[in-house]
Amino acid sequence: MSQSEIKLCKLIIRENFAETAEKVSTILLESGPCALKLLAIYTNLKLDQVKKILAVLITHHIVKFNVNKKGLIEYNISIKAILSRVRFPIYICTSKTLYGDAAELLVEELLQRGEATMETVVNKVTERLNDALEASGHPKISSTLVKDKFVSLVQTHFIQRCLTPMRDSGGRVISLGTPDDPDICHVIPVNTQRRRSDSPPSAKAMKISENNTDTVYWQVDFDRFHQHFRDQAIISAMLNKIDKKASEIIRTMLRVSETNTAADSLVTTPISINEIFINLPKELEITKPILEQYLSVMCDDSQFVFKAADAGGGMYEINIHKSLTELCKSHIESVVQERFGSKSLRIFRILLLKQHLEQKQIEEYAMIPAKEVKEIMYNMFADGFLFVTEVSKAPDHAPSRTFFLFRVEIQRVARMLLKRCYQAIANAMLRREHEVKEHRRLLDKQQRVEAIIASLDQNGVDESQKEEVEQTITPAERNQLAKVKQDINKLDQCEIQLDSTMFLLENYLHYSKINSQLS
């Protein structure tokens, strides 16, 4: 865990949960698992305050707890859960894109609460939607429509059940248990979903219904959203590399194989060409011979699709690890070009292809003068994009009798860039915090004016009165407000774009770690 990662986590906690929560989180981040009384001592906070903070962080799945060897309950913090909070706007936007406005509000409500029962979330979202519809003059909707959206999100694994608390013999909660069957997390209890037929409920649903359904709590499944983002990145890459039809073929393969492929599997389950053809959207008008040509091109020209076997007309699979490796290389190459120029990118690509080269060989392959190559390679080496291996002819390692071979290590470069992403997001958050603090008086004034105008609209007053209230903000103040909002929007966009790069690098390193463990 790097210092830049810890700094970013502390800023996220402070922005979302205030400074007292940041104190508790800092101890857990820097010292590791800690007992309740020690947390109170280290933070100089009252025991009740620490309890309340931990309760909130546990509700948001940031803090976890278990019993240590001495029988004491220790609390530890999840960095992954903290960093996921940067992606909240993307989770909400994705929900709206896939399932509409009701799903957007359902996911937003669950993200704000951390966890909640279905009834609570559905009623709140129905109320919000009806208020908006009533204000715009449209008829209200029933909670059944919102509940159907909730069920759809659960069935597609974007929402899952919270873990059941485990208790000791004295009734004390000691940890959160793990389900015997992971699929149960995505099954709705019988009496909380609308029965559309007289068919008997499934065994899993009956098993869940044995619990008190009023206490079944739900949360957003971040891993399912991350899987969706990963798939979208692969689809977009294929769209840029070949064309739209190729990207739709990849989308179909991912959709068909997602139910049979393990979450951390390096490759998808092999799919026959017949199954791909049957599941392709009809509007693409792709015939089977054209599909064969596309698959052949994708196998030859990309590291994404591979032919696993010849049975059934051909079995094809998507290599997730190699796909993410290619995407990661593309991002790193983009950074190299922006930072060092096109000649540096040429040298970087040559080293990726040849792996180990001396400086003289690089000059010949890149066709760049020796003096310029020396300068470029020194800059890239100093910034951590190139590495050197020394191969000595003699035991004394004298420079005159030593070969200096330059190389690129994608994983080390990815870790370095990931660290810089953490630093950049933290800087953007600090800058936004400074902008808001600097113009707090003006922003508060605008909020008060908007609140007064909203109340006047409800009372149906004349336009002249509203104009009079609006004129309390001078033209100079309006210009200043516009500039502040523009700067904050830019910083928000910066965070989202940095998080996109951070997500890709994290996924690449995660799958590389799994690959190294298996090999």
Side-chain angles (χ1 to χ4, degrees):
M1 189 193 310
S2 63
Q3 288 299 315
S4 56
E5 195 174 3
I6 291 174
K7 180 184 176 182
L8 176 58
C9 289
K10 285 156 64 174
L11 285 171
I12 292 170
I13 292 292
R14 185 172 72 192
E15 188 178 74
N16 288 272
F17 301 102
E19 293 180 359
T20 51
E22 184 191 359
K23 288 182 181 179
V24 175
S25 302
T26 301
I27 300 300
L28 294 173
L29 286 165
E30 295 177 352
S31 304
C34 198
L36 178 62
K37 289 185 179 179
L38 287 176
L39 280 172
I41 293 168
Y42 292 154
T43 56
N44 293 322
L45 295 172
K46 293 180 181 179
L47 199 62
D48 287 342
Q49 274 185 294
V50 177
K51 285 181 180 178
K52 289 176 181 177
I53 291 166
L54 288 174
V56 171
L57 295 178
I58 289 169
T59 302
H60 287 271
H61 312 285
I62 291 171
V63 168
K64 302 182 186 301
F65 58 95
N66 50 34
V67 180
N68 62 12
K69 293 178 181 179
K70 296 180 180 179
L72 296 173
I73 294 179
E74 283 187 337
Y75 298 89
N76 55 73
I77 200 160
S78 170
I79 293 177
K80 183 181 176 183
I82 297 173
L83 295 177
S84 294
R85 301 190 74 82
V86 179
R87 301 190 186 109
F88 277 15
I90 308 172
Y91 298 146
I92 295 168
C93 182
T94 303
S95 304
K96 181 175 182 178
T97 303
L98 295 176
Y99 296 102
D101 294 337
E104 175 194 13
L105 293 177
L106 286 167
V107 170
E108 182 184 347
E109 195 68 28
L110 280 174
L111 290 173
Q112 286 179 350
R113 293 172 178 266
E115 58 184 45
T117 61
M118 179 199 284
E119 186 180 357
T120 302
V121 176
V122 168
N123 289 341
K124 181 65 177 177
V125 169
T126 305
E127 184 183 341
R128 289 176 63 184
L129 282 172
N130 284 333
D131 289 344
L133 290 170
E134 191 176 3
S136 59
H138 292 87
K140 292 184 178 182
I141 61 170
S142 67
S143 61
T144 308
L145 296 174
V146 180
K147 187 179 287 187
D148 287 343
K149 289 291 182 183
F150 191 99
V151 171
S152 298
L153 287 167
V154 173
Q155 289 172 345
T156 51
H157 295 192
F158 286 104
I159 294 176
Q160 66 177 2
R161 283 189 71 197
C162 297
L163 297 176
T164 306
M166 302 291 289
R167 300 177 183 272
D168 60 10
S169 56
R172 183 182 61 158
V173 176
I174 54 173
S175 67
L176 295 176
T178 55
D180 298 329
D181 184 355
D183 292 337
I184 289 178
C185 290
H186 304 103
V187 177
I188 297 182
V190 177
N191 59 348
T192 63
Q193 61 179 330
R194 187 175 60 171
R195 298 292 301 278
R196 298 186 181 181
S197 65
D198 295 331
S199 59
S202 65
K204 287 178 185 175
M206 286 298 294
K207 185 176 180 180
I208 294 174
S209 65
E210 292 174 3
N211 300 327
N212 184 1
T213 54
D214 294 335
T215 59
V216 174
Y217 282 80
W218 300 88
Q219 68 182 76
V220 173
D221 189 346
F222 298 124
D223 291 337
R224 178 65 182 88
F225 274 101
H226 294 168
Q227 182 186 343
H228 176 76
F229 299 154
R230 181 203 70 192
D231 292 350
Q232 287 300 118
I234 294 172
I235 292 165
S236 299
M238 189 55 68
L239 174 63
N240 295 330
K241 191 172 182 66
I242 302 180
D243 63 9
K244 190 177 189 312
K245 288 185 178 179
S247 69
E248 290 299 327
I249 293 170
I250 288 284
R251 189 193 302 276
T252 302
M253 291 177 69
L254 288 167
R255 189 180 69 248
V256 171
S257 63
E258 70 180 357
T259 55
N260 302 321
T261 305
D264 290 333
S265 178
L266 298 177
V267 295
T268 61
T269 306
I271 313 166
S272 68
I273 190 170
N274 294 323
E275 194 173 0
I276 298 170
F277 180 70
I278 291 168
N279 287 281
L280 277 174
K282 302 301 180 187
E283 58 269 16
L284 289 176
E285 298 180 353
I286 296 178
T287 60
K288 198 168 183 180
I290 294 175
L291 175 60
E292 290 176 354
Q293 291 176 9
Y294 267 104
L295 289 170
S296 177
V297 169
M298 286 191 281
C299 288
D300 294 339
D301 294 350
S302 74
Q303 294 289 321
F304 291 22
V305 180
F306 293 86
K307 193 171 185 178
D310 294 324
M315 303 290 288
Y316 294 89
E317 64 185 15
I318 298 173
N319 193 311
I320 302 296
H321 176 235
K322 288 188 177 180
S323 301
L324 292 172
T325 302
E326 291 301 310
L327 289 171
C328 185
K329 284 180 183 178
S330 176
H331 271 66
I332 293 172
E333 287 174 1
S334 176
V335 173
V336 169
Q337 183 170 10
E338 289 295 323
R339 193 172 181 84
F340 304 105
S342 57
K343 291 182 180 178
S344 302
L345 177 60
R346 194 188 313 169
I347 292 172
F348 189 84
R349 283 176 171 167
I350 288 169
L351 285 170
L352 276 177
L353 187 64
K354 301 293 184 180
Q355 294 185 350
H356 289 83
L357 289 176
E358 286 186 280
Q359 184 180 316
K360 189 175 181 181
Q361 293 174 305
I362 294 171
E363 294 166 12
E364 293 172 358
Y365 281 120
M367 295 182 287
I368 301 173
K371 183 179 178 182
E372 203 169 346
V373 168
K374 283 182 183 178
E375 183 182 353
I376 289 170
M377 292 184 68
Y378 173 77
N379 290 334
M380 293 175 71
F381 175 76
D383 269 20
F385 287 89
L386 295 184
F387 303 92
V388 178
T389 301
E390 296 182 12
V391 181
S392 179
K393 296 179 184 177
D396 58 355
H397 285 269
S400 59
R401 294 188 293 275
T402 302
F403 294 107
F404 295 93
L405 302 177
F406 290 89
R407 71 186 191 280
V408 172
E409 292 186 15
I410 292 296
Q411 288 191 34
R412 289 178 67 178
V413 176
R415 288 192 190 96
M416 180 266 293
L417 288 179
L418 184 59
K419 182 180 176 182
R420 292 188 181 181
C421 283
Y422 293 146
Q423 292 172 338
I425 292 176
N427 291 340
M429 291 178 69
L430 285 170
R431 183 63 193 178
R432 188 181 64 217
E433 187 180 318
H434 170 76
E435 288 289 334
V436 172
K437 188 177 179 181
E438 191 75 12
H439 302 90
R440 173 64 66 189
R441 184 195 62 79
L442 198 56
L443 291 168
D444 288 345
K445 183 179 178 180
Q446 186 193 29
Q447 286 182 354
R448 288 196 300 271
V449 168
E450 287 176 352
I452 293 169
I453 290 172
S455 64
L456 291 174
D457 283 336
Q458 289 180 353
N459 296 329
V461 298
D462 297 336
E463 290 294 327
S464 58
Q465 286 183 313
K466 287 200 295 184
E467 288 178 7
E468 187 178 344
V469 173
E470 288 174 352
Q471 287 173 2
T472 55
I473 300 177
T474 64
E477 288 176 333
R478 289 187 186 281
N479 292 336
Q480 187 66 26
L481 279 168
K483 184 178 181 302
V484 170
K485 286 183 178 179
Q486 185 180 9
D487 291 343
I488 291 174
N489 287 336
K490 283 181 180 178
L491 290 168
D492 289 338
Q493 288 295 322
C494 171
E495 281 183 40
I496 291 171
Q497 290 173 4
L498 282 167
D499 178 68
S500 175
T501 303
M502 186 175 80
F503 172 77
L504 180 63
L505 295 173
E506 285 176 342
N507 268 268
Y508 164 69
L509 292 171
H510 173 68
Y511 279 93
S512 296
K513 184 179 178 181
I514 295 171
N515 186 50
S516 63
Q517 289 172 350
L518 295 174
S519 58

